[in-house]
Amino acid sequence: MLGATLVILILIAAAWYVAKVGTVFTLVFIGAVAFMTYKRLPFIVFTLVFTVLLAAYTFVPPAYGVWKGFLWLMLAALWLLQIRPLRKALISRPFLKAYMRLLPSMSQTEKEALDAGTVWWDGELFTGKPKFEKLLASKAPQLTAEEQAFIDGPCEELCRMYDDWDITHKRADMPPKVWDYLKSKGFFAMIIPKKYGGLEFSAYAHSCVLVKLASRGGLLAATTAVPNSLGPAELLNHYGTEEQKNHYLPRLARGEEVPCFALTGPRAGSDAAALPDTGIVCKGMWQGREIVGLKLNFNKRYITLAPIATVVGLAFRMFDPDKLLGDKADLGITCALIPRGTPGLSIGRRHFPLNVPFQNGPLSGKDVFVPLDTIIGGPKMAGQGWRMLVEQLSVGRCISLPSNTTGGAKLGVFASGAYARIRRQFNMPVGKFEGVEAVLARMVGYTYTMDAARSVTAGAIDGGEKPSVPSAMLKYHVTEMGRQVASDAMDVHGGKGIQLGPRNYLGRNYQVVPVAITVEGANILTRSLIIFGQGAIRCHPFVLKEMNAARTKNVDEFDSALFGHIGFSISNAVRSFVMALTHARFTRVPDVGDTKRYYQHIVRFSASFAFAVDVAMLTLGGYLKKKENLSARLGDVLSSMYLASMVLKHHENQGRPAEDLPIVEWACRNQMYRAQEQLHDFLRNFPNRFLGGVLRLLIFPGGRSYFAPSDRLGRQLADAVLNDTDVRDRLCKFVYRTLEPGNPLGLLQEALVMAQTAEPIEKRIRVEGVKTGKITALDVPGQIAQARELGIISDTEAASLRDYDRKVMELLTVDDFETFEMAAQGQEPIAGKGDEYSVHSGQVA
Ligand SMILES: Cc1cc2nc3c(=O)[nH]c(=O)nc-3n(C[C@H](O)[C@H](O)[C@H](O)COP(=O)(O)OP(=O)(O)OC[C@H]3O[C@@H](n4cnc5c(N)ncnc54)[C@H](O)[C@@H]3O)c2cc1C
């Protein structure tokens, strides 16, 4: 409202001015200046053109006036700013002093986190003028013949062997044959180079394998993801000594060693760098002789694969109090590899992660003495542990959790589409009711977005990127969308999703979601602190340059960055305002056909975002780090632009299938709407209300103009998965759907295909038999029999309906148990020695 009123006032003032001064030339002048700012002409070119324009404008009647006087003053200022020594003395140097006071303090670990990884498409989104040509030019990720064969062969076989209920409920572990298969076929060696016996898969192939395994079971995917993610193999690959690589990598590739990586402890969770675990450099006995080594004391928990690990990757803080290695006493966070049998290491007990009992447990060490060459990379890498971890996190975090969660979402949408088609209530497939349709549409839109984000980003990694900010965006947004899709799938299935047992293909998937939300940077922290906190400094075209110049007190560099930054902000303000007024219709983007408008919207948001970020950083400085809700909202805007870009690129990678357009449109609209809402909320909550109002005027001069996807569009998405379509096939690619006993997804698919022919026959029975009163049976088999007798359907139709109905009943059935089957086996008496526990009443007798 305020924005609209201000715009009207400005337009009236402009109209008054033009009417009074009476010149079209005024508009031409303003337009030309705005155009130069919009196009970001170099400062000197801008100043020269401004001089020529103003000289010409001065002679247009009336020749003088306050307005033109002001413009001449401005021109004088522009020329003065061209004299660099002068502007450095008058502006840059004093500003540098103030900036140094404003600069937020930063720990060494924060600096290392900021330096980790590369800046990719995230950097473009910070420019206010992203060059989509760059994104579109990048190669579409593809599987090699060998990778495809692995997915069609060993992956398929592993899924066939895997029995989720048996594993999660009865055994609380995978049977030895599944473990052996995983190890012997190289599932734990996807990232290990071939020369060490690994599979050396691309990031994309690695991700696709996890997607497929996750569609079969969360436990299977989690177990496979960990050795291929942040852990000993990855760290050895990049930082290990030749000796360490030659020793460990072939053994890890063959599955002779099972790794885990232990960072988290009872006192150090999200703030992992504050770990209290120590490694003291000292002399001790090792294999019968005295050496200089490390005495380790640690207490870790939540460590995946720890209970069965044969080698522990350990993070600890290293100290050298007696200066045996040099003159530094506190060497910092260090990573070492500790073999399982090392005296003092306590390992083997398990945690119980939400009924999805993958191997996860605590481990601790008391005065564990190891040689210095257990440090990954050898003694020279002492103190480099945090850098190693954050560097590798920038890659691993893009793959493991996003892929596992996408696999879970694909399973959810694949099953829900089919189930909502075969499950009838009120004489209709439940998927045809508007309420269910809306939920299915969200599932489809989210799953497409998740799939796009994980595959395009994996493609970027294969192209040489280590995208650290996108890895945080994927971690947060893909797992949050996955949480929503898992809940939606449960809702669509009603009671069928809730009753656990071998027939339930959703329950464990639903239970495992919080694991993905919590690990590798718990989600609240990732949203509030990491995405924007890291992005603002890493991706901004000028901030890191300014900070580095300030830290080294380099006035020259600071001056260049500062004036570049000022021009950048002014340009973004103009671009934001112009694109908001024109709804970005004239914004130049690549010629991409039907999706062009979404590219334009992203460019508009990029300019608005960049402008808002600059004003926030300038006015709030280091305080912005504490205002987590503001940072989180800016992170959301950045993420929405990123996710929408991934959707568009994914659509291109797939060859722009026209039938996918409704999903692409839904996904982009959803992201643009979210970007708008988050940016608007950011401005409404801006601490300085006046400044917030001015920003709203420039960014949303006509108010908010994006809407959430329409119901009509949603219906198209739901239809795509309620039928056996190519769209459904593409969306659910890699879902394990083989038709075989023990895989309800195969049967669901078969029933879905049959539903398409069964429904018209069922309708005939209803219309010609039930509604006319000729058919009196209430149950389906009885109705089929009567319809056949009455000649409403043929023999063949009756047979196919019976077959279809049998399959539907098989799918609708849920499991039931005797109480003893549900109780955990081998349990100790619950209330302590001597007490008896009644499984019937739940009471201690
Ligand atoms: C199943 C499972 C497997 C795991 N596997 C491993 C493993 O293999 N190796 C390993 O080292 N670790 C592992 N972890 C540990 C995991 O990384 C941690 O659980 C995670 O870092 C969060 O720590 P925490 O659980 O102690 O939560 P806390 O740090 O106690 O956080 C509690 C809540 O506060 C929020 N929060 C904290 N600080 C902030 C902040 N500044 N701003 C906003 N919000 C904040 C968090 O987001 C979270 O929601 C695993 C955990 C689980 C559950």
Side-chain angles (χ1 to χ4, degrees):
M1 198 56 206
L2 173 73
T5 317
L6 279 170
V7 170
I8 291 167
L9 286 177
I10 288 172
L11 288 177
I12 292 172
W16 171 83
Y17 181 79
V18 170
K20 189 165 182 297
V21 176
T23 69
V24 174
F25 202 87
T26 301
L27 289 180
V28 173
F29 180 81
I30 293 173
V33 172
F35 180 77
M36 289 192 292
T37 319
Y38 186 98
K39 286 284 176 192
R40 295 190 185 161
L41 294 192
F43 188 30
I44 181 69
V45 179
F46 179 92
T47 312
L48 283 170
V49 179
F50 192 92
T51 309
V52 174
L53 279 172
L54 188 56
Y57 185 33
T58 303
F59 296 106
V60 174
Y64 300 104
V66 181
W67 163 240
K68 285 184 185 170
F70 167 73
L71 290 176
W72 276 102
L73 275 179
M74 211 172 126
L75 182 66
L78 285 177
W79 278 110
L80 284 178
L81 288 176
Q82 296 290 347
I83 308 167
R84 242 184 134 191
L86 189 70
R87 92 179 181 202
K88 274 198 294 192
L90 292 181
I91 300 173
S92 302
R93 206 180 294 277
F95 199 81
L96 175 61
K97 282 191 184 142
Y99 188 88
M100 280 158 61
R101 280 196 301 274
L102 270 176
L103 205 61
S105 62
M106 207 179 274
S107 64
Q108 183 58 27
T109 50
E110 278 178 299
K111 277 188 209 129
E112 283 171 358
L114 277 176
D115 288 342
T118 57
V119 175
W120 179 57
W121 183 245
D122 41 331
E124 281 295 317
L125 293 172
F126 257 91
T127 61
K129 210 177 170 188
K131 292 190 180 60
F132 273 101
E133 290 80 1
K134 275 191 198 167
L135 181 66
L136 295 179
S138 62
K139 237 174 84 193
Q142 268 183 340
L143 296 173
T144 62
E146 185 191 350
E147 291 163 345
Q148 185 66 57
F150 187 81
I151 290 181
D152 296 338
C155 268
E156 186 78 8
E157 177 61 13
L158 178 63
C159 290
R160 198 189 56 69
M161 293 163 77
Y162 182 85
D163 179 345
D164 201 50
W165 179 249
D166 176 61
I167 289 163
T168 59
H169 183 71
K170 296 186 186 163
R171 296 173 184 267
D173 193 7
M174 293 189 290
K177 70 171 182 181
V178 176
W179 276 111
D180 290 346
Y181 195 80
L182 276 164
K183 291 174 186 172
S184 65
K185 294 291 173 187
F187 279 89
F188 294 160
M190 287 191 275
I191 58 167
I192 296 180
K194 284 197 164 140
K195 67 174 175 174
Y196 298 110
L199 296 178
E200 199 176 341
F201 277 177
S202 63
Y204 179 63
H206 171 186
S207 164
C208 296
V209 168
L210 293 179
V211 169
K212 179 151 188 158
L213 301 189
S215 78
R216 186 62 169 153
L219 185 147
L220 181 60
T223 306
T224 311
V226 168
N228 288 296
S229 177
L230 183 66
E234 185 74 339
L235 297 174
L236 283 169
N237 245 344
H238 289 90
Y239 312 100
T241 60
E242 276 314 304
E243 205 183 338
Q244 288 171 334
K245 287 185 194 177
N246 290 332
H247 175 75
Y248 278 113
L249 290 178
R251 296 160 68 84
L252 287 165
R254 289 193 298 269
E256 289 165 17
E257 298 275 9
V258 176
C260 71
F261 192 81
L263 173 65
T264 308
R267 290 188 189 275
S270 298
D271 188 8
L275 78 185
D277 312 292
T278 54
I280 309 289
V281 181
C282 60
K283 289 185 178 161
M285 294 305 288
W286 180 256
Q287 295 175 345
R289 60 190 181 90
E290 194 184 54
I291 58 162
V292 173
L294 283 167
K295 188 160 66 175
L296 298 160
N297 281 286
F298 50 91
N299 185 14
K300 304 287 192 182
R301 66 176 183 181
Y302 305 162
I303 310 306
T304 302
L305 292 186
I308 56 158
T310 59
V311 54
V312 176
L314 186 77
F316 56 92
R317 202 172 179 102
M318 186 164 158
F319 295 94
D320 183 10
D322 299 332
K323 313 272 174 71
L324 295 175
L325 300 180
D327 52 7
K328 232 174 141 185
D330 180 355
L331 291 155
I333 294 174
T334 303
C335 298
L337 289 176
I338 316 297
R340 187 180 180 102
T342 311
L345 174 64
S346 209
I347 190 168
R349 287 185 63 77
R350 294 178 64 181
H351 298 307
F352 196 173
L354 281 174
N355 274 341
V356 184
F358 57 89
Q359 293 284 344
N360 182 271
L363 60 89
S364 59
K366 177 105 183 72
D367 295 338
V368 178
F369 186 76
V370 291
L372 288 173
D373 58 16
T374 53
I375 294 174
I376 298 177
K380 70 174 190 307
M381 293 302 271
Q384 298 296 311
W386 193 252
R387 181 176 65 79
M388 285 154 65
L389 293 177
V390 289
E391 274 177 10
Q392 293 323 308
L393 194 64
S394 64
V395 172
R397 202 165 47 177
C398 283
I399 302 173
S400 308
L401 294 168
S403 310
N404 287 1
T405 321
T406 303
K410 284 184 178 230
L411 151 72
V413 80
F414 182 82
S416 302
Y419 186 81
R421 180 72 184 263
I422 60 144
R423 173 64 171 166
R424 299 180 78 89
Q425 291 293 287
F426 309 99
N427 275 328
M428 282 247 283
V430 292
K432 297 282 180 192
F433 293 105
E434 278 203 357
V436 178
E437 241 172 31
V439 174
L440 284 173
R442 179 169 56 206
M443 294 176 75
V444 172
Y446 280 12
T447 305
Y448 189 93
T449 311
M450 295 162 74
D451 202 25
R454 69 106 203 153
S455 50
V456 177
T457 311
I461 293 171
D462 289 331
E465 299 290 345
K466 288 186 175 180
S468 65
V469 177
S471 82
M473 294 196 268
L474 259 65
K475 158 65 182 77
Y476 175 73
H477 289 278
V478 173
T479 57
E480 287 296 337
M481 283 189 276
R483 162 145 65 182
Q484 182 66 57
V485 174
S487 288
D488 286 345
M490 293 293 279
D491 291 352
V492 170
H493 279 72
K496 167 79 183 166
I498 288 166
Q499 303 303 351
L500 288 175
R503 292 165 189 274
N504 187 322
Y505 40 83
L506 292 179
R508 293 290 192 238
N509 190 40
Y510 175 74
Q511 287 181 312
V512 80
V513 164
V515 174
I517 300 288
T518 306
V519 300
E520 292 189 14
N523 273 10
I524 302 179
L525 167 111
T526 302
R527 173 173 182 254
S528 319
L529 211 62
I530 298 181
I531 299 177
F532 179 72
Q534 236 178 52
I537 300 174
R538 282 296 329 244
C539 307
H540 194 289
F542 296 102
V543 167
L544 195 56
K545 287 182 193 156
E546 284 163 354
M547 284 172 68
N548 288 339
R551 289 213 166 90
T552 53
K553 298 186 184 148
N554 186 326
V555 186
D556 270 342
E557 281 176 17
F558 187 76
D559 175 79
S560 305
L562 178 68
F563 279 87
H565 197 159
I566 293 170
F568 173 77
S569 298
I570 295 172
S571 164
N572 280 327
V574 171
R575 290 175 63 77
S576 175
F577 185 68
V578 171
M579 284 191 276
L581 285 182
T582 57
H583 212 46
R585 277 190 193 283
F586 310 107
T587 303
R588 203 188 63 77
V589 289
D591 183 14
V592 280
D594 294 318
T595 51
K596 180 177 169 190
R597 290 292 286 137
Y598 297 106
Y599 287 76
Q600 292 177 318
H601 294 319
I602 295 173
V603 177
R604 172 194 165 182
F605 272 107
S606 172
S608 303
F609 167 77
F611 176 48
V613 166
D614 276 344
V615 175
M617 291 206 289
L618 185 70
T619 54
L620 300 176
Y623 184 54
L624 189 54
K625 194 172 156 187
K626 290 206 178 76
K627 297 295 292 171
E628 285 196 348
N629 288 339
L630 292 182
S631 294
R633 290 188 183 106
L634 288 175
D636 286 345
V637 180
L638 177 65
S639 305
S640 281
M641 292 189 288
Y642 183 83
L643 292 172
S645 309
M646 297 298 103
V647 165
L648 293 167
K649 169 68 173 152
H650 188 57
H651 181 56
E652 294 296 314
N653 286 350
Q654 298 205 314
R656 295 189 195 174
E659 321 84 76
D660 285 3
L661 274 174
I663 311 187
V664 174
E665 186 179 346
W666 193 101
C668 288
R669 270 189 178 278
N670 177 50
Q671 293 304 335
M672 292 299 93
Y673 177 67
R674 283 168 167 237
Q676 167 188 272
E677 295 302 298
Q678 293 298 344
L679 190 53
H680 198 262
D681 280 355
F682 166 80
L683 299 176
R684 284 193 70 88
N685 287 283
F686 203 73
N688 182 326
R689 302 299 294 269
F690 173 75
L691 209 50
V694 173
L695 284 171
R696 262 160 62 207
L697 172 72
L698 290 168
I699 292 174
F700 296 112
R704 285 175 284 174
S705 53
Y706 290 92
F707 302 102
S710 70
D711 293 350
R712 188 147 22 113
L713 190 58
R715 189 161 311 133
Q716 294 180 50
L717 268 63
D719 268 350
V721 289
L722 285 165
N723 291 285
D724 180 33
T725 60
D726 289 346
V727 179
R728 173 181 159 87
D729 229 32
R730 263 193 298 279
L731 182 68
C732 300
K733 191 169 176 188
F734 300 121
V735 166
Y736 180 65
R737 61 179 83 170
T738 305
L739 184 60
E740 63 181 10
N743 186 15
L745 297 194
L747 189 60
L748 268 171
Q749 179 64 16
E750 197 188 19
L752 171 67
V753 174
M754 291 175 84
Q756 295 171 171
T757 43
E759 281 171 4
I761 312 173
E762 286 176 331
K763 189 173 175 192
R764 219 183 314 139
I765 295 177
R766 257 196 328 278
V767 174
E768 295 178 28
V770 180
K771 285 197 176 157
T772 57
K774 290 182 194 161
I775 291 179
T776 51
L778 294 178
D779 64 316
V780 174
Q783 290 182 348
I784 296 172
Q786 284 186 337
R788 178 63 211 107
E789 278 165 25
L790 291 164
I792 296 173
I793 58 173
S794 69
D795 272 342
T796 329
E797 287 172 331
S800 82
L801 265 195
R802 277 193 204 99
D803 188 24
Y804 173 61
D805 187 53
R806 253 193 317 275
K807 288 181 171 137
V808 169
M809 276 314 291
E810 169 69 19
L811 287 164
L812 296 185
T813 305
V814 299
D815 299 291
D816 44 51
F817 303 93
E818 293 294 340
T819 305
F820 77 87
E821 293 176 283
M822 291 163 64
Q825 305 295 306
Q827 186 173 275
E828 294 284 331
I830 286 181
K833 278 199 181 118
D835 292 334
E836 282 176 22
Y837 181 79
S838 159
V839 283
H840 299 292
S841 64
Q843 301 289 315
V844 176

